[in-house]
Amino acid sequence: MAQKYTIPKGTRDFSPEEMARRNYIFQTIQSIFKKYGYLPIETPAMENLSTLMGKYGEEGDRLLFKILNSGDFLKNLDTEDIENKNLGKVTTAIAEKGLRYDLTVPFARYVVQHLNEITFPFKRYQIQPVWRADRPQKGRYREFYQCDVDVIGSHSLLNEVELIRIIDSIFRELNINVVIKLNNRKILTGIVETINAPERLTDITTAMDKIDKIGVEKVYEELRGKGLDEDTINMLEPVMNLSGDNTSRLNCLKELIGATDTGSQGLEEMQTILGLTKQLDLKAEIKLDQVLARGLNYYTGTIIEVIAKDVSIGSICGGGRYDNLTGVFGLPDVSGVGISFGADRIYDVMNELTVFPEEALNSTDVMLVNFGDKEAAYSLGILEQIQQTGIKAELYPDAAKMKKQMKYADQKKVGYVLLIGEEEMNTGIYTLKNMKTGEQTKGNLEEILTILKP
Amino acid sequence: MAQKYTIPKGTRDFSPEEMARRNYIFQTIQSIFKKYGYLPIETPAMENLSTLMGKYGEEGDRLLFKILNSGDFLKNLDTEDIENKNLGKVTTAIAEKGLRYDLTVPFARYVVQHLNEITFPFKRYQIQPVWRADRPQKGRYREFYQCDVDVIGSHSLLNEVELIRIIDSIFRELNINVVIKLNNRKILTGIVETINAPERLTDITTAMDKIDKIGVEKVYEELRGKGLDEDTINMLEPVMNLSGDNTSRLNCLKELIGATDTGSQGLEEMQTILGLTKQLDLKAEIKLDQVLARGLNYYTGTIIEVIAKDVSIGSICGGGRYDNLTGVFGLPDVSGVGISFGADRIYDVMNELTVFPEEALNSTDVMLVNFGDKEAAYSLGILEQIQQTGIKAELYPDAAKMKKQMKYADQKKVGYVLLIGEEEMNTGIYTLKNMKTGEQTKGNLEEILTILKP
């Protein structure tokens, strides 16, 4: 008996069936990135820990997978640090490299390192796995793919509009109805300035962002817990309770926070973006969401989040504008805007909605049955001619029982089976069986090809 | 000034230009794997060290990248092992996982773990990076891609023929002239049995395999160094000096080693494969090479190696049949045959031969110049219509100076530039500039699309 061999927790194998679905998602995303003029880059799985550490907060540092130095990894180790259980110092002594935690920090490092080779504005996409030593749970893995698309070196809001169009194109193609929520860091700043609590930006926006999940009363409770007084909380009420379409929200916000410089600027940006998208043929619903915050400290302008309308699973895409991507690497003032697509969640959504197109899941178009050495040798020539037309085809490798060969074709979801026995060899008239309908057709190679090639 | 940030030695960033070339190779390989009915799987980058260790020899164990356990990685550590510098025991205590070293061992583990879900014969391909803590040098990296294709669960030689056809199709498509060298482990066994030195199989075949590199005299020297007597070496001479075409080599070998059961069986297999490939429309040269050994201990039947004819760089693809892939994981007698394409070397060969097709390197088909807010808003609608036809298009995001926009288009190797200024907006007649020839054409959108869409 085979022993039990498994893979590390939080990681996954992908079977051919899963790969067909996953590749459909990746290919759709990639082809749309390309259609909008974005170019791919790739960075190594391993980065120096000096590049990664300190970029994701203390929790992030802990969740980095660290790679043991090769060779004599003990040589820089101070045994006192072991005795004191100083994990940080021991780690530094024995591990110089780590697995990338996201695609953003490696991208920032890439831009700084290759500054002289890059033409700005730099429109790049990157589809690669990332690793996090998170506690594995449903929908959360230790290895997962990110699909990032960013444009850096341009302040134009046309970039935001382009990303909205990309989101729309991708989810239209994938057959998922979505809401694209938009906000702006400057609107959030305007809100806290208006209620005279600018120093509480993070506390207030983090709490407000939860309104959809926990409801307005719990948000107030959280704010009270954080020491905000009732007056301030009362001043937040009109912002929290905004309703109506984007235009009326925008108008209300102008009245509420338009007196602050930053708020006014944020609203102007929002108005430009909403105006430009209005004339476009978008399928997605665009919604101004004045409480949307996401990873706030990171974003400096537009904030974007995408929600599937018909499946409740959280955000399936998100991003925004950041004005200091490469600052941590010593290159200030590089503005960029980008979004990231969550392939795993999109996969779950598409499975739940059963919207994977059947063509994407087909494997081989036609399988030639193997009737024996002589027939197989003859079939090889036919196989070659079939494949030369671009049709995916295979010859069953063994002269196994017909039942076994048909079972293989069935389980592999092969579209057609072609039978070339001795009689067929002599007449040049072959039998083609449609595996879905069971229908059988006879014909010469040319006629068979007409059926196989849609 | 930006600080110097680099990546770990032996790893690489890939720029858009390099990615275009690399993707062309991967897509060609993948589309041909699919055309022959192979299906993709993927396995995690990290495997348990219990899966990886002991599979690649002592040197391989050393070259595995090990991942430090998360959390309190010191908890299982015996400080005595540290004091004794027992690297092996310390590693076991602090690292449970490692990065995959190749795709073969993870595939074997996959087959054993998912045995009940797999339909045999299982035709799978896998294109993923692997990691080795090798000393980096020209053409040798610590992170590189392997492209493996295997069929397991079938003894039929039709599988070997199929792999030869795949090799031929891929290198034909990539425009590389190749020689496909074939041998058989059983022929090698027949040789050493014939000269009465069966126990010296590894020594003899390892030495013989080097004949192309070091010449026949040095091979003899090496054999003498390994303690073979002159009589035995003399008996090897006819095998070493075989010449002529495949048929005459095969006939000579029959006379030389046909008396041994194993040798005779190997020659029969070779004859079948050569016979079946002869009737096919192959571009590659097939060459029976009776000294070809490769990773001998691994292969049990056919051995395959592919060499580029016009570039001297070593093998660019290789593989063979193995009868015990999953044995180390407790599942004996699973026969398979497979080959692996070396994407990095293929890349180097194609660069040297300058055979990358220009279409593969194009980025955006057309860039719309940005003349200002009003023109850009108008252009957005035109952009949308252009992209809807499948053409890759972008609007320059800022109303920058014309010179700057044209420089961007030029450096990004954009095919055409479309100019829509105020006059063009009013007349609906746009100006299209071919960036290669400099030629300018005027026309309405429909006429422009005809030019853009080849």
Side-chain angles (χ1 to χ4, degrees):
Chain A
M1 252 310 283
Q3 283 175 250
K4 276 258 176 284
Y5 280 89
T6 57
I7 47 179
K9 65 176 176 180
T11 69
R12 293 163 290 172
D13 283 328
F14 296 110
S15 69
E17 294 73 27
E18 290 163 320
M19 285 298 294
R21 289 178 161 81
R22 288 174 65 82
N23 282 339
Y24 177 72
I25 294 173
F26 289 128
Q27 276 156 20
T28 302
I29 289 176
Q30 183 172 275
S31 79
I32 287 167
F33 287 170
K34 275 188 194 164
K35 203 199 268 185
Y36 284 80
Y38 288 78
L39 301 176
I41 69 159
E42 278 186 13
T43 61
M46 299 186 264
E47 293 273 352
N48 291 319
L49 281 175
S50 55
T51 300
L52 300 176
M53 297 284 280
K55 308 304 189 295
Y56 308 103
E58 224 171 277
E59 171 77 355
D61 283 353
R62 224 175 40 75
L63 298 185
L64 287 169
F65 279 110
K66 286 121 194 153
I67 294 163
L68 204 56
N69 293 340
S70 317
D72 179 9
F73 56 86
L74 294 176
K75 66 171 183 261
N76 297 322
L77 189 66
D78 186 338
T79 44
E80 218 169 272
D81 291 329
I82 296 249
E83 280 151 29
N84 298 336
K85 291 251 173 204
N86 189 330
L87 292 178
K89 280 198 170 174
V90 175
T91 303
T92 308
I94 65 177
E96 278 169 6
K97 295 179 289 288
L99 294 178
R100 68 174 162 251
Y101 179 91
D102 70 0
L103 302 179
T104 307
V105 167
F107 177 49
R109 192 267 311 144
Y110 179 96
V111 170
V112 175
Q113 193 174 332
H114 301 277
L115 198 57
N116 298 326
E117 307 151 31
I118 296 174
T119 309
F120 291 95
F122 186 35
K123 299 171 75 169
R124 90 87 173 76
Y125 73 86
Q126 192 169 355
I127 301 178
Q128 290 193 279
V130 302
W131 295 269
R132 296 180 186 178
D134 239 327
R135 185 191 303 274
Q137 49 178 270
K138 190 175 177 301
R140 191 194 286 166
Y141 304 101
R142 292 186 149 193
E143 174 181 63
F144 58 97
Y145 271 76
Q146 291 193 332
C147 311
D148 279 21
V149 61
D150 292 79
V151 49
I152 63 165
S154 163
H155 288 89
S156 167
L157 295 172
L158 284 173
N159 298 303
E160 272 88 338
V161 173
E162 179 161 85
L163 293 176
I164 291 169
R165 293 184 59 221
I166 287 178
I167 294 169
D168 183 69
S169 295
I170 286 175
F171 290 115
R172 184 194 298 241
E173 187 77 24
L174 294 177
N175 223 340
I176 303 175
N177 292 318
V178 296
V179 182
I180 304 175
K181 294 190 194 172
L182 295 180
N183 200 10
N184 195 304
R185 160 82 175 240
K186 293 166 190 160
I187 292 177
L188 292 169
T189 305
I191 292 171
V192 292
E193 282 180 5
T194 302
I195 62 168
N196 299 314
E199 76 291 352
R200 307 302 301 270
L201 178 69
T202 307
D203 284 344
I204 294 174
T205 53
T206 310
M208 286 201 307
D209 198 24
K210 296 183 190 157
I211 188 167
D212 284 349
K213 275 189 200 145
I214 62 177
V216 67
E217 278 313 318
K218 295 250 171 183
V219 171
Y220 293 151
E221 230 169 77
E222 183 170 327
L223 289 173
R224 277 181 209 110
K226 285 186 174 157
L228 257 74
D229 59 47
E230 281 316 299
D231 283 356
T232 312
I233 291 176
N234 284 340
M235 284 167 78
L236 267 182
E237 267 208 66
V239 170
M240 297 285 285
N241 294 326
L242 268 192
S243 63
D245 63 13
N246 293 335
T247 313
S248 64
R249 279 171 187 244
L250 201 58
N251 289 334
C252 284
L253 282 170
K254 273 183 199 165
E255 280 178 35
L256 291 169
I257 66 164
T260 67
D261 281 354
T262 315
S264 161
Q265 202 188 329
L267 291 170
E268 222 169 88
E269 290 182 14
M270 181 65 77
Q271 187 160 14
T272 303
I273 294 170
L274 291 176
L276 286 169
T277 50
K278 208 170 236 171
Q279 61 160 352
L280 296 170
D281 175 28
L282 300 182
K283 191 185 166 205
E285 183 189 332
I286 309 283
K287 192 176 166 195
L288 162 53
D289 180 356
Q290 74 287 351
V291 298
L292 178 68
R294 291 182 61 87
L296 176 81
N297 290 317
Y298 190 64
Y299 299 119
T300 51
T302 303
I303 301 171
I304 305 173
E305 186 168 270
V306 184
I307 307 287
K309 273 187 177 172
D310 309 312
V311 179
S312 145
I313 198 171
S315 90
I316 52 179
C317 174
R321 180 172 285 278
Y322 39 82
D323 275 341
N324 201 12
L325 175 71
T326 54
V328 284
F329 296 116
L331 183 73
D333 300 327
V334 174
S335 182
V337 56
I339 49 176
S340 184
F341 289 80
D344 289 294
R345 284 205 181 156
I346 293 172
Y347 182 94
D348 290 345
V349 168
M350 292 184 69
N351 262 344
E352 192 164 332
L353 298 173
T354 58
V355 287
F356 280 106
E358 212 161 315
E359 316 85 78
L361 311 180
N362 279 354
S363 57
T364 306
D365 297 317
V366 59
M367 184 194 89
L368 281 64
V369 173
N370 187 330
F371 285 97
D373 286 352
K374 210 172 44 172
E375 291 86 349
Y378 177 92
S379 295
L380 262 186
I382 302 295
L383 180 68
E384 197 172 36
Q385 291 178 65
I386 294 176
Q387 287 167 332
Q388 269 160 10
T389 68
I391 293 167
K392 291 178 284 179
E394 62 184 289
L395 167 63
Y396 193 87
D398 302 279
K401 285 195 181 129
M402 180 67 107
K403 198 178 158 192
K404 190 175 175 194
Q405 297 191 43
M406 295 306 277
K407 191 178 163 200
Y408 170 87
D410 191 48
Q411 294 193 331
K412 199 168 173 177
K413 296 197 177 61
V414 168
Y416 291 86
V417 157
L418 186 63
L419 300 119
I420 308 183
E422 199 170 353
E423 197 193 315
E424 282 84 358
M425 278 171 63
N426 293 332
T427 59
I429 303 294
Y430 315 129
T431 305
L432 186 72
K433 183 178 176 180
N434 183 320
M435 289 296 284
K436 214 170 265 165
T437 64
E439 196 187 343
Q440 299 211 2
T441 323
K442 280 179 185 293
N444 61 23
L445 181 57
E446 205 182 323
E447 289 159 339
I448 298 290
L449 286 175
T450 318
I451 300 176
L452 290 176
K453 197 139 196 174
Chain B
M1 252 310 285
Q3 282 175 250
K4 276 259 175 286
Y5 280 88
T6 56
I7 47 180
K9 64 176 176 180
T11 69
R12 291 164 291 172
D13 284 328
F14 295 111
S15 69
E17 293 73 28
E18 290 163 319
M19 285 298 294
R21 289 178 160 80
R22 288 174 65 84
N23 282 340
Y24 176 73
I25 295 173
F26 289 129
Q27 276 157 19
T28 302
I29 289 176
Q30 182 171 278
S31 79
I32 286 167
F33 287 170
K34 277 188 191 165
K35 203 199 267 185
Y36 284 81
Y38 288 78
L39 301 177
I41 68 160
E42 279 187 11
T43 61
M46 297 186 265
E47 294 273 351
N48 290 319
L49 281 176
S50 56
T51 299
L52 300 176
M53 296 284 279
K55 309 302 189 297
Y56 307 104
E58 223 169 278
E59 171 77 355
D61 284 352
R62 224 175 40 74
L63 297 185
L64 287 170
F65 279 110
K66 286 120 193 156
I67 293 163
L68 203 57
N69 293 339
S70 318
D72 180 9
F73 57 86
L74 293 175
K75 66 170 184 263
N76 298 322
L77 189 65
D78 188 338
T79 43
E80 218 170 273
D81 291 331
I82 296 247
E83 280 152 28
N84 298 335
K85 290 251 172 204
N86 188 331
L87 292 179
K89 280 197 170 173
V90 174
T91 304
T92 308
I94 63 176
E96 278 169 6
K97 296 179 287 292
L99 294 178
R100 69 175 160 250
Y101 179 90
D102 70 1
L103 301 178
T104 307
V105 167
F107 177 48
R109 192 266 310 144
Y110 179 97
V111 169
V112 174
Q113 192 175 331
H114 301 277
L115 200 57
N116 299 327
E117 308 150 31
I118 296 173
T119 310
F120 290 96
F122 185 36
K123 298 171 75 167
R124 91 85 173 77
Y125 73 85
Q126 192 170 355
I127 301 178
Q128 290 192 279
V130 301
W131 295 270
R132 297 179 187 179
D134 238 327
R135 184 191 304 272
Q137 49 179 268
K138 192 176 176 301
R140 192 195 284 167
Y141 304 101
R142 292 185 149 192
E143 173 180 65
F144 58 98
Y145 271 77
Q146 291 194 331
C147 311
D148 279 22
V149 61
D150 291 79
V151 48
I152 63 166
S154 163
H155 289 89
S156 167
L157 295 172
L158 283 172
N159 298 303
E160 272 86 340
V161 174
E162 180 160 85
L163 293 176
I164 291 167
R165 292 185 58 223
I166 287 177
I167 294 168
D168 183 68
S169 296
I170 286 175
F171 290 115
R172 184 195 298 240
E173 188 77 23
L174 294 178
N175 223 339
I176 303 175
N177 292 317
V178 297
V179 182
I180 304 175
K181 294 189 192 175
L182 296 179
N183 199 12
N184 195 304
R185 160 83 175 239
K186 293 166 190 160
I187 293 177
L188 291 169
T189 306
I191 292 171
V192 293
E193 282 180 4
T194 302
I195 63 168
N196 298 315
E199 76 290 354
R200 307 303 300 271
L201 178 69
T202 307
D203 284 343
I204 294 173
T205 52
T206 310
M208 285 201 307
D209 197 24
K210 297 182 189 158
I211 187 167
D212 283 349
K213 275 189 199 146
I214 62 177
V216 69
E217 278 313 317
K218 294 250 172 181
V219 171
Y220 292 151
E221 233 170 74
E222 180 169 330
L223 288 172
R224 278 182 209 110
K226 284 185 174 157
L228 256 74
D229 59 45
E230 284 313 302
D231 284 356
T232 311
I233 292 176
N234 285 339
M235 284 167 77
L236 267 182
E237 267 208 65
V239 170
M240 299 284 286
N241 294 325
L242 267 191
S243 64
D245 63 14
N246 292 334
T247 312
S248 65
R249 278 171 188 245
L250 200 59
N251 289 334
C252 285
L253 281 169
K254 273 183 198 162
E255 279 179 34
L256 290 169
I257 65 164
T260 66
D261 281 354
T262 315
S264 160
Q265 202 188 328
L267 291 170
E268 224 169 85
E269 290 181 14
M270 180 65 78
Q271 188 160 15
T272 303
I273 293 169
L274 292 175
L276 285 169
T277 49
K278 208 170 236 169
Q279 62 161 353
L280 296 169
D281 175 29
L282 300 181
K283 191 185 167 206
E285 182 189 332
I286 309 281
K287 190 176 166 194
L288 162 53
D289 179 355
Q290 73 288 348
V291 299
L292 178 68
R294 290 182 61 88
L296 176 82
N297 290 317
Y298 190 64
Y299 299 119
T300 52
T302 303
I303 301 170
I304 304 173
E305 186 168 270
V306 183
I307 306 287
K309 273 186 176 173
D310 309 312
V311 179
S312 148
I313 198 171
S315 90
I316 51 178
C317 172
R321 180 171 286 277
Y322 40 81
D323 277 340
N324 201 11
L325 175 70
T326 55
V328 283
F329 296 117
L331 182 74
D333 301 326
V334 174
S335 182
V337 57
I339 49 176
S340 184
F341 289 80
D344 289 294
R345 282 203 182 159
I346 292 172
Y347 182 95
D348 290 345
V349 168
M350 291 184 69
N351 262 344
E352 193 164 332
L353 297 173
T354 57
V355 287
F356 281 106
E358 213 163 313
E359 317 84 79
L361 311 181
N362 279 354
S363 58
T364 307
D365 297 318
V366 59
M367 184 195 90
L368 282 64
V369 172
N370 186 330
F371 285 97
D373 286 353
K374 207 172 48 171
E375 292 87 349
Y378 177 93
S379 295
L380 263 185
I382 302 294
L383 181 68
E384 198 171 35
Q385 291 178 64
I386 295 175
Q387 287 168 332
Q388 270 160 9
T389 67
I391 292 168
K392 291 179 284 179
E394 61 184 288
L395 167 63
Y396 193 87
D398 301 278
K401 285 198 180 125
M402 180 66 108
K403 198 179 158 191
K404 191 176 175 193
Q405 298 192 41
M406 296 306 279
K407 190 179 164 198
Y408 170 87
D410 189 49
Q411 294 193 332
K412 199 169 174 178
K413 295 196 178 65
V414 169
Y416 291 87
V417 158
L418 187 62
L419 299 119
I420 309 184
E422 199 172 351
E423 196 194 314
E424 283 84 358
M425 278 172 64
N426 293 332
T427 59
I429 302 295
Y430 315 129
T431 305
L432 186 73
K433 182 179 176 180
N434 184 319
M435 288 297 283
K436 215 171 263 163
T437 65
E439 197 187 342
Q440 299 211 3
T441 323
K442 281 179 184 293
N444 62 23
L445 182 57
E446 204 181 323
E447 290 160 338
I448 298 291
L449 286 174
T450 318
I451 300 176
L452 290 176
K453 198 137 198 177

